[in-house]
Amino acid sequence: MSSIKTKSSFGVAQVILFLSIAILVIVVAFPVLLILFNAFWVNDEFNFAGALEIIKEPQTFQALKNSLIIATGTTIGSTIVGTFFAWLVTRTDLPHKTFMKSMFLVPFMLPSFIGALAWKMLLSPNAGFINQFFIQHLGFTGPIFNIYSYIGISTVEVMYLFPFVFIQVCGALERMDPTLEESARISGAGLFTITRKITIPLVMPSILSGALLIMLYSMAHFGTVAVLGIENGIYNIPTLIYERIHQSGGSFDAIRTGTVLATVLVISAAIIIYAQRKILGSGHYQIIGGKSFRPMELKLRGLRMPLMIFCLAYIAFTIVLPTVVIFLVGSLKTYGLAFTFDNLSLDNYKFILFDYKVTRDAIFNSVTLGFTAAIITMFAGVMISYVIVKMKVRGKGILEFLGMLPFSVPGSVIALGVILAWSGQFGINLYNTVWIILVAYIARYMAFSLKANSAALEQVHDSLVEASRACGATMWQSLRDIVLPLVRPGMLAAFFLIFLPSLRELTVSIMLYAPTTRTIGVAIYTLNEDGETVISAALAGIALIIIILGQSVINHFTKKAGV
Amino acid sequence: MSYVRLVNVTKRFGDVTAVNSLNFEIGKGECFSMLGPSGCGKTTTLRMVAGFEDLSDGEVWVGDRLLSSPKKNHYLPPEKRNFGMVFQAFAVWPHLSVYENVAFPLRIRKLPDSEIDQRTKEALKATNLLSAANESPDFLSGGGKQRVALARALAINPDVMLLDEPLSSLDPHLREEMRFEIKELQQKYGFSIIYVTHDQSEAMALSDRILVMKLGVVQQIDTPLNIYNHPANQFVFSFIGLSNFLKAIPQDGHVILPDQSEAVPMTLKPPDSLRDAALLSLASRPSEIDFTHMEDPAGLHGIVSRKAFLGEIIDYQIKVGDQVLRVQKGRRDPGPEPGAVCAIHFLRPFWYKEK
Ligand SMILES: Nc1ncnc2c1ncn2[C@@H]1O[C@H](COP(=O)(O)OP(=O)(O)OP(=O)(O)O)[C@@H](O)[C@H]1O
Ligand SMILES: [Mg+2]
């Protein structure tokens, strides 16, 4: 009896496993291996010293240092901001906490390079609106703040990245057993002592894990540095890779430098991910309580109003102001005109949507690419997660290892790897077509899909499938009738987690685009580079609208589904 | 004599009155339990005493110190009340060692280092934790963690110890053991205990007096023995121990069964005060019913419908008309087999009016 069962499932299981491995190898592992290979393998021999030489070159070394400086600044800033706001909205009697909480999550969906564009308009040393205002009207002799600086770049990144820490710490604080704090209180500790000695130490693992995520993201982040740094000669690793590949048109030297830099990124990412897993795995305290009361709230008393005003000011300054600037500039006839009623119109938006081929193509490309990538990645992700989470087949270990790869490969690395893999050296040349961008998107977003789908699958108890098999259903039938309906929410989540970010993707597409295959992100960036500031801002405005609409649709659906 | 005093304590959450006009007094060194079904307001009461919950009405006193009084706009925050408290989920801080957990309240009080060390060690010794002092509490068992929580509460030498279902996360065996440890500690240190539980045997074993509560209203406050032997009402009767309720209708100073299937012996009479009720309940404990398999005209007749051997005791179900009685006998005294007709005698019948 049992031998018949294994026999019938044997073929299917192996096929699924093989397919899963094949997808991850082709999409992620192969490009990454090519990068490592190109970085260390020169003229048919292993050449580690050569790679070191490249790192030691002044420009590359400076880019490494810059990545580290910016990432460190961003991480420290975001951790402080994120933890503080999380504590404020979960543990105090701040007014309008729910509203504040949802506002603090908004930066998650806003593309940071669009924010960077806005801040460039506001705070560039000479032309920035705020700087100009201070010089012209308040008698300042120079700019009050230069956004083209380490501090400027880090500050803008903090505005868009702090939600990573915020959301982790909020979650930890909300799940934390309130009696842990109450027993400190009955022991005689005041609320500030409790926060310092009990609350913060207990959520430290969450704080650190959020901080590491930000570190990883910032080191490999392209957009903000490209918009705010390059002008002042500040390159980080991804912008230098882009610069080299872009300028040289793919010369051997440029590729070599790119691969070495990418290798550094991959290694740092691996270290960061390892550290994060360590922290989350072993150091995570069991602080989740059983039945408990509402957590106690710190009475802010005299600070209540000032802190609320501070939060509102923060939201206005970091979220509302940049958004408004984008839309206003997008409505200007020409950049540099004053924001008077006469100078504002919707013409730019009309032009972009109906007349201008570059932007129309870009919107079309982004939507179709995003949709296709989301569909493919969603299905691939559910299959791979199924093998990893549910199936017991030999050779699964390889897949588990491969499944971790997508989490630790930054976008610019993927782009470079895809160029190496699909530019004809191996018989397939996708370079300069949309397909190469599609392949890269699939690799880039595989991690999201794996995460959402395995989370959904872990909810499906093994016995459900076993019960269905016991009822006489075949493996395929049980998958289709039992498992698929149960993981549908996970798949839907994966789809949106991919579709929305891909609409604003820049890091990967900027390395891979051809004149006819610009995406929205690329179009905004290149238009801005070409001095078409108002058109670029208008397109950014359209992108924001699409993203916000998309997000509302998701919120609507998830609320309805009760997720 | 009375030390902790609750006067008309009331707590409303919106429209829900969780605790309704509660009055009780606890003596110094007394162990006082609050017992009642889930949601009856035990935790809320305890948290009002601790100061985590403010009162909607009433006053809480300790000695001559007023702790809470919404009328007088007086409220002393928990950290100033000098109580020891132990929670159900232990609430032991995992980022501090066992020693530091216990020393925490002393450090907060900024005592000299030597005194902190001495009192921490004493509390650890009293709870048998000295050998684990430098370990992380994560490595302790549930009982170990609960001992840490106890030691931490003991360290400040509190006058009042508040315990909210402190043993319900432990397995039954450990629970009994810890019960006695708590009692021993109390005898040694002489603090008063307010103990919240929904486990009646725990309350019986520990307490000097028990408060039984239902939907925020006190039902009875008395010694364990009196609560068991003289339950104030049907709810208390049913909540403490096993119980049977046989419905009966008063008639001419006697009672008849609602379906009139069996004749109720004339000797089984309700008190005069209940003669006018429409429906009565005859309450009895399974262990306080005697029955024989002879057709005894003086007894109430029934048919044995089930007999289950539970080790020390044998558990019977006896059908009386369409009602069922549960009866327990020692295993040395085997009764009739299922199907047998028998005569029932109630050794200690209680009568309650049915609403
Ligand atoms: N913060 C609150 N907000 C609203 N209602 C509450 C709150 N805390 C308690 N209640 C309500 O007050 C009533 C009493 O709750 P309480 O927790 O005191 O019961 P309990 O006797 O401790 O029950 P259990 O045995 O389940 O712990 C319940 O109906 C509960 O729903
Ligand atoms: Mg309770």
Side-chain angles (χ1 to χ4, degrees):
Chain A
M1 175 62 203
S2 77
S3 73
I4 297 170
K5 207 163 118 190
T6 3
K7 207 175 163 192
S8 66
S9 71
F10 181 80
V12 177
Q14 299 310 66
V15 168
I16 294 181
L17 177 69
F18 176 78
L19 263 178
S20 305
I21 292 180
I23 291 173
L24 286 180
V25 165
I26 292 173
V27 174
V28 192
F30 181 52
V32 172
L33 276 179
L34 278 178
I35 285 179
L36 298 181
F37 181 79
N38 276 282
F40 295 117
W41 196 263
V42 190
N43 299 330
D44 298 331
E45 57 179 277
F46 183 75
N47 188 342
F48 186 71
L52 270 186
E53 281 306 310
I54 291 175
I55 289 179
K56 281 191 202 143
E57 278 171 28
Q59 242 198 326
T60 33
F61 194 63
Q62 188 61 42
L64 288 176
K65 269 199 331 205
N66 289 346
S67 256
L68 209 60
I69 293 170
I70 295 169
T72 307
T74 305
T75 308
I76 293 172
S78 311
T79 307
I80 294 171
V81 173
T83 308
F84 177 66
F85 283 143
W87 174 78
L88 219 50
V89 301
T90 53
R91 277 294 187 273
T92 69
D93 61 346
L94 186 80
H96 309 299
K97 281 192 293 196
T98 349
F99 167 76
M100 302 277 190
K101 188 175 174 197
S102 52
M103 285 313 283
F104 288 136
L105 290 175
V106 167
F108 247 152
M109 59 178 192
L110 300 179
S112 50
F113 77 95
I114 293 184
L117 281 179
W119 285 105
K120 178 179 172 177
M121 294 166 191
L122 286 164
L123 280 173
S124 78
N126 302 317
F129 299 131
I130 295 181
N131 280 328
Q132 272 191 340
F133 179 81
F134 273 83
I135 292 169
Q136 284 170 6
H137 299 281
L138 300 178
F140 279 67
T141 50
I144 58 157
F145 187 78
N146 180 3
I147 200 81
Y148 298 152
S149 61
Y150 290 122
I151 292 206
I153 294 169
S154 285
T155 309
V156 172
E157 286 192 8
V158 167
M159 291 177 195
Y160 295 91
L161 295 184
F162 86 88
F164 280 109
V165 169
F166 177 77
I167 208 163
Q168 292 251 13
V169 178
C170 271
L173 285 175
E174 276 161 6
R175 285 192 313 269
M176 189 167 139
D177 180 357
T179 60
L180 285 167
E181 288 166 312
E182 285 173 351
S183 47
R185 200 150 178 222
I186 202 87
S187 300
L191 286 166
F192 274 108
T193 316
I194 297 173
T195 304
R196 204 160 45 86
K197 293 216 164 144
I198 306 291
T199 317
I200 299 283
L202 284 180
V203 294
M204 198 42 105
S206 302
I207 296 177
L208 286 182
S209 114
L212 285 174
L213 261 177
I214 288 177
M215 185 93 192
L216 173 61
Y217 195 96
S218 174
M219 284 209 47
H221 180 58
F222 174 84
T224 310
V225 184
V227 173
L228 298 176
I230 293 180
E231 207 124 348
N232 211 9
I234 302 177
Y235 287 89
N236 67 349
I237 301 177
T239 45
L240 191 66
I241 296 179
Y242 165 70
E243 192 75 9
R244 287 292 168 85
I245 305 281
H246 199 64
Q247 276 176 356
S248 66
S251 80
F252 177 76
D253 269 349
I255 296 268
R256 185 87 208 291
T257 310
T259 54
V260 170
L261 285 171
T263 307
V264 174
L265 270 189
V266 171
I267 292 170
S268 6
I271 294 172
I272 291 174
I273 299 250
Y274 176 77
Q276 202 205 14
R277 272 172 197 251
K278 239 352 226 195
I279 288 174
L280 282 181
S282 64
H284 224 340
Y285 304 125
Q286 285 295 319
I287 53 172
I288 298 167
K291 61 174 175 181
S292 49
F293 283 73
R294 298 156 300 154
M296 56 180 186
E297 285 182 349
L298 177 75
K299 299 248 185 315
L300 294 170
R301 299 181 208 278
L303 283 174
R304 201 159 172 250
M305 281 303 139
L307 279 173
M308 183 192 77
I309 292 168
F310 174 77
C311 288
L312 289 178
Y314 181 91
I315 291 165
F317 191 68
T318 64
I319 299 170
V320 181
L321 179 66
T323 314
V324 169
V325 165
I326 289 288
F327 280 103
L328 279 181
V329 171
S331 314
L332 277 179
K333 291 199 175 99
T334 6
Y335 193 58
L337 290 177
F339 294 116
T340 59
F341 197 71
D342 289 342
N343 294 333
L344 298 173
S345 74
L346 291 178
D347 293 347
N348 292 334
Y349 298 102
K350 244 193 268 164
F351 178 61
I352 283 172
L353 287 175
F354 303 109
D355 302 325
Y356 193 31
K357 184 156 174 12
V358 172
T359 51
R360 281 179 47 197
D361 283 354
I363 295 173
F364 177 79
N365 287 339
S366 272
V367 173
T368 47
L369 270 171
F371 187 81
T372 322
I375 292 280
I376 295 175
T377 316
M378 173 181 83
F379 281 112
V382 81
M383 179 171 79
I384 296 167
S385 309
Y386 185 79
V387 182
I388 292 180
V389 177
K390 287 286 165 222
M391 271 167 57
K392 298 178 192 74
V393 282
R394 267 198 306 161
K396 198 174 105 171
I398 307 169
L399 193 67
E400 275 168 356
F401 172 75
L402 287 172
M404 312 234 296
L405 262 186
F407 289 92
S408 52
V409 183
S412 33
V413 176
I414 284 174
L416 190 60
V418 165
I419 294 177
L420 294 176
W422 311 116
S423 299
Q425 284 93 327
F426 302 94
I428 301 173
N429 191 351
L430 303 176
Y431 199 63
N432 279 350
T433 67
V434 281
W435 303 112
I436 197 162
I437 304 182
L438 180 65
V439 175
Y441 276 13
I442 294 173
R444 174 148 207 213
Y445 294 120
M446 189 58 83
F448 294 1
S449 179
L450 290 180
K451 200 166 184 178
N453 280 308
S454 35
L457 274 164
E458 261 150 28
Q459 310 285 319
V460 182
H461 200 272
D462 288 341
S463 59
L464 292 176
V465 175
E466 279 156 17
S468 138
R469 297 290 301 276
C471 294
T474 67
M475 184 80 172
W476 280 122
Q477 280 168 335
S478 1
L479 278 182
R480 193 192 59 210
D481 297 337
I482 309 291
V483 178
L484 214 56
L486 287 169
V487 295
R488 206 172 283 149
M491 291 173 69
L492 205 68
F495 177 86
F496 284 112
L497 276 175
I498 297 162
F499 182 63
L500 275 191
S502 68
L503 288 182
R504 57 179 217 219
E505 210 290 327
L506 179 63
T507 312
V508 164
S509 5
I510 194 81
M511 302 259 294
L512 303 175
Y513 79 94
T516 55
T517 63
R518 286 175 213 239
T519 59
I520 294 179
V522 170
I524 295 172
Y525 181 74
T526 51
L527 282 169
N528 183 65
E529 291 292 283
D530 299 342
E532 300 274 7
T533 312
V534 291
I535 302 290
S536 151
L539 183 58
I542 302 272
L544 287 182
I545 291 176
I546 297 178
I547 289 164
I548 290 166
L549 279 182
Q551 191 67 46
S552 331
V553 171
I554 300 178
N555 290 351
H556 182 74
F557 271 114
T558 45
K559 221 175 260 158
K560 237 165 107 181
V563 179
Chain B
M1 178 60 203
S2 81
Y3 188 56
V4 183
R5 203 146 51 88
L6 272 72
V7 185
N8 281 329
V9 167
T10 300
K11 178 71 188 180
R12 284 179 285 268
F13 294 107
D15 294 339
V16 184
T17 306
V19 176
N20 198 349
S21 199
L22 202 59
N23 285 289
F24 63 81
E25 297 183 357
I26 303 169
K28 207 158 192 164
E30 182 177 1
C31 181
F32 186 84
S33 292
M34 290 195 281
L35 187 61
S38 189
C40 71
K42 308 179 294 281
T43 298
T44 309
T45 308
L46 197 73
R47 289 171 60 85
M48 285 192 288
V49 175
F52 288 122
E53 214 74 67
D54 41 5
L55 279 60
S56 305
D57 202 3
E59 287 178 356
V60 178
W61 292 79
V62 168
D64 50 8
R65 242 180 1 145
L66 177 62
L67 301 188
S68 303
S69 167
K71 276 226 181 66
K72 295 176 188 156
N73 212 353
H74 183 84
Y75 165 75
L76 196 70
E79 62 266 30
K80 302 248 167 69
R81 295 194 174 193
N82 217 31
F83 288 163
M85 187 160 182
V86 177
F87 297 88
Q88 178 180 2
F90 317 136
V92 170
W93 303 304
H95 64 297
L96 300 178
S97 68
V98 169
Y99 182 94
E100 282 306 320
N101 261 284
V102 178
F104 184 89
L106 303 171
R107 292 201 193 286
I108 293 292
R109 285 168 174 73
K110 301 216 163 55
L111 299 178
D113 282 350
S114 58
E115 194 183 341
I116 291 180
D117 190 58
Q118 179 234 323
R119 285 172 69 173
T120 305
K121 290 217 170 106
E122 196 189 318
L124 287 172
K125 205 163 137 201
T127 46
N128 284 326
L129 280 170
L130 259 188
S131 56
N134 296 316
E135 278 177 39
S136 156
D138 270 345
F139 295 114
L140 297 179
S141 64
K145 284 185 186 141
Q146 201 55 296
R147 277 202 198 97
V148 177
L150 266 171
R152 185 174 62 193
L154 280 178
I156 57 163
N157 230 331
D159 301 322
V160 180
M161 186 79 94
L162 308 174
L163 300 117
D164 189 355
E165 307 199 19
L167 306 183
S168 63
S169 311
L170 306 179
D171 61 58
H173 187 72
L174 203 55
R175 215 178 289 169
E176 264 178 45
E177 203 180 299
M178 290 290 294
R179 233 183 245 174
F180 293 112
E181 283 186 30
I182 293 176
K183 194 78 195 167
E184 262 169 39
L185 287 172
Q186 187 207 11
Q187 270 151 10
K188 186 167 167 202
Y189 289 90
F191 46 79
S192 311
I193 290 183
I194 305 184
Y195 193 100
V196 163
T197 177
H198 56 241
D199 177 342
Q200 41 147 324
S201 60
E202 204 169 283
M204 295 271 183
L206 267 172
S207 324
D208 299 315
R209 280 186 308 149
I210 296 175
L211 178 158
V212 183
M213 208 170 170
K214 176 194 176 187
L215 293 173
V217 180
V218 176
Q219 306 294 310
Q220 188 170 8
I221 303 179
D222 217 326
T223 60
L225 197 68
N226 278 343
I227 294 242
Y228 190 82
N229 283 336
H230 306 287
N233 57 36
Q234 187 172 355
F235 173 78
V236 178
F237 190 101
S238 67
F239 194 73
I240 308 284
L242 299 171
S243 50
N244 284 309
F245 295 102
L246 194 72
K247 301 235 168 9
I249 300 171
Q251 204 176 60
D252 307 329
H254 304 282
V255 288
I256 55 167
L257 294 179
D259 62 352
Q260 303 196 3
S261 51
E262 302 285 344
V264 181
M266 290 298 188
T267 46
L268 206 52
K269 275 199 270 193
D272 291 349
S273 58
L274 291 174
R275 277 189 187 162
D276 300 332
L279 187 63
L280 292 176
S281 254
L282 167 57
S284 57
R285 309 256 180 227
S287 58
E288 295 178 336
I289 293 175
D290 203 10
F291 69 101
T292 48
H293 51 291
M294 286 164 303
E295 289 195 34
D296 174 358
L300 174 67
H301 289 175
I303 300 170
V304 177
S305 59
R306 197 187 70 191
K307 179 180 182 181
F309 178 67
L310 303 181
E312 276 307 303
I313 48 173
I314 301 175
D315 192 271
Y316 294 91
Q317 247 182 22
I318 300 177
K319 279 193 89 154
V320 178
D322 57 359
Q323 303 188 64
V324 177
L325 284 180
R326 189 169 168 194
V327 179
Q328 292 185 338
K329 276 194 166 196
R331 72 185 158 92
R332 281 173 228 284
D333 178 19
E337 294 303 312
V341 177
C342 59
I344 304 162
H345 293 277
F346 295 94
L347 303 182
R348 243 160 44 89
F350 286 83
W351 294 91
Y352 297 109
K353 196 168 161 175
E354 274 290 327
K355 268 149 234 150

